[in-house]
Amino acid sequence: MRRRLRPPAWTATLTWKAAVFITVMCCALAALLGTLVHVSVAGQTVRDSREKALTRLGEVGRLYESGEPLPRFAGVDPEGLPAELRALAVRGEQGTMVSDQQGRPTMWAAGPADGRALAVQVDYTQSADIIDGLDRSILGSSVLAIGATLLVGAFAVTRITRRLHATAQVARRISAGDLDARVDDPRTRDPSRHQDEVATVSGALDTMASSLQRKLQSEQRFTADVAHELRTPLTGLSAAAELLPEGRPSELVRDRVRTMRTLTEDLLEISRLDAGNERVDLDVHELAPLAVRVVRASGTDTEVRVVRDATVETDKRRLERVLGNLLANAHKHGAAPVVLTVDGPVVTVRDHGAGYPEYLLDVGPQRFRTEGGGKGHGLGLTIAAGQAEVIGAELVFANAPAEEGGGAVARLTLPEYVRLAEPGPEAER
């Protein structure tokens, strides 16, 4: 099957489309006006030459009837008289025609003369030059007008597209998490000032961003306040639970208290990530030994595979938090075997369960949302994604193909640390 050729990407831009539209419309308008002017001037010139030729034919006819000699521009059946015009005169009618006479345009006028054709010729060179000059002037002025209009139109469209690009860039920054980004179009500052469509879109985007920022900040403050206020009573509740006599009810109380404390700490961590004030303590670490330590600390039955070790520059504590949450999620919601693979700066955690739900693959992990009403609050993967972003790593969630056993796959790509080669002896000299 033959592939369809796709036009270049720049042909889809508004500037290109506007330039094509302006050029086509200018060409069409120039062609229309040029044709009208050419037809009008050429018709008037031909009429003037025809009237002049017919006037001369009348004068020559009177000379012919009186038997006087004919002037040099007239004659009976002269050489070069077009055959169509000669036949018209022989039939007893008068007519005119433009033809080429010895390389020069000539206006002929002929009439009947005793069964022959009495004809006069008028030099048509000047009239033809006038029409040719007019055509060149029309063409030149059309090109200049099209060029000037195209430049002015491109300048005007570029100003609009530049503002649209600025609006789109701000929208991308907002979607990336920069809620302080604003277009701040000067046309929207004064409500009494008339606004164009671009200013209206810019103002609507700024208004939406401000509203979204207020709502998110309100939610973040609520989450942080709730988590902070819960710490004090939970601390007292935990201490009280330790004083209960041993037994099944006491174990249940202590377990629920530990769960609530863990949830509270997770909420506090998420609120700190949402605030965007986290500081990163970067250092250089060997990735494989660090991953092995995380697996051992998790106390889970996880297989570790090291394809290729790598040196990464990262925050050790945060990286351990990310890997620990991924392993905990794989064992809690997936199925054995769980495999952690180190391949250069890429760490992959895979289980062999049902895989990630569709919503997570589409929009990423969401807090307090789990598939099928299972246990969990959806905070583990949310924290892992947030901490990965803080340390500059890329965390991607996917599902393994069914033919390969299926399962959930979390792939963490870290910035690899590259040591510069030390100069040799020759370079030092």
Side-chain angles (χ1 to χ4, degrees), residues 172-194:
R172 285 191 289 268
R173 288 172 56 190
I174 294 173
S175 64
D178 184 7
L179 298 181
D180 292 325
R182 297 291 185 274
V183 181
D184 199 19
D185 194 312
R187 297 167 181 78
T188 62
R189 297 174 185 172
D190 186 3
S192 63
R193 183 177 180 182
H194 295 291

Side-chain angles (χ1 to χ4, degrees), residues 3-9 11:
R3 295 183 59 186
R4 294 180 57 186
L5 295 177
R6 298 183 61 183
T11 58

Side-chain angles (χ1 to χ4, degrees), residues 155-230:
F155 174 75
V157 173
T158 301
R159 292 189 61 187
I160 296 176
T161 55
R162 189 183 299 117
R163 293 167 59 196
L164 289 175
H165 284 309
T167 304
Q169 184 177 5
V170 170
R172 285 191 289 268
R173 288 172 56 190
I174 294 173
S175 64
D178 184 7
L179 298 181
D180 292 325
R182 297 291 185 274
V183 181
D184 199 19
D185 194 312
R187 297 167 181 78
T188 62
R189 297 174 185 172
D190 186 3
S192 63
R193 183 177 180 182
H194 295 291
Q195 300 180 8
D196 57 9
E197 288 78 2
V198 180
T200 302
V201 173
S202 302
L205 179 63
D206 288 347
T207 303
M208 181 198 69
S210 300
S211 176
L212 179 63
Q213 185 178 36
R214 287 193 298 270
K215 290 181 179 179
L216 290 179
Q217 289 176 346
S218 176
E219 292 179 1
Q220 292 171 5
R221 285 194 299 268
F222 175 78
T223 303
D225 292 343
V226 169
H228 186 269
E229 293 298 327
L230 284 175

Side-chain angles (χ1 to χ4, degrees), residues 197-270:
E197 288 78 2
V198 180
T200 302
V201 173
S202 302
L205 179 63
D206 288 347
T207 303
M208 181 198 69
S210 300
S211 176
L212 179 63
Q213 185 178 36
R214 287 193 298 270
K215 290 181 179 179
L216 290 179
Q217 289 176 346
S218 176
E219 292 179 1
Q220 292 171 5
R221 285 194 299 268
F222 175 78
T223 303
D225 292 343
V226 169
H228 186 269
E229 293 298 327
L230 284 175
R231 295 184 73 179
T232 301
L234 280 176
T235 302
L237 184 61
S238 177
E242 296 295 332
L243 300 177
L244 295 175
E246 295 296 330
R248 182 60 180 169
S250 301
E251 293 179 2
L252 292 176
V253 171
R254 294 189 187 102
D255 179 68
R256 293 298 89 191
V257 170
R258 284 193 295 268
T259 301
M260 291 186 65
R261 291 190 65 176
T262 302
L263 175 60
T264 302
E265 296 299 327
D266 288 345
L267 288 174
L268 285 173
E269 186 172 356
I270 287 178

Side-chain angles (χ1 to χ4, degrees), residues 32-74:
L32 177 62
L33 293 178
T35 301
L36 292 176
V37 173
H38 172 84
V39 170
S40 177
V41 175
Q44 184 62 42
T45 303
V46 170
R47 284 192 297 271
D48 293 342
S49 299
R50 181 180 293 114
E51 291 177 359
K52 182 178 180 181
L54 292 175
T55 300
R56 286 190 176 184
L57 180 62
E59 296 174 352
V60 170
R62 288 190 290 272
L63 294 176
Y64 176 79
E65 292 175 357
S66 62
E68 297 182 10
L70 301 179
R72 57 183 181 83
F73 57 81

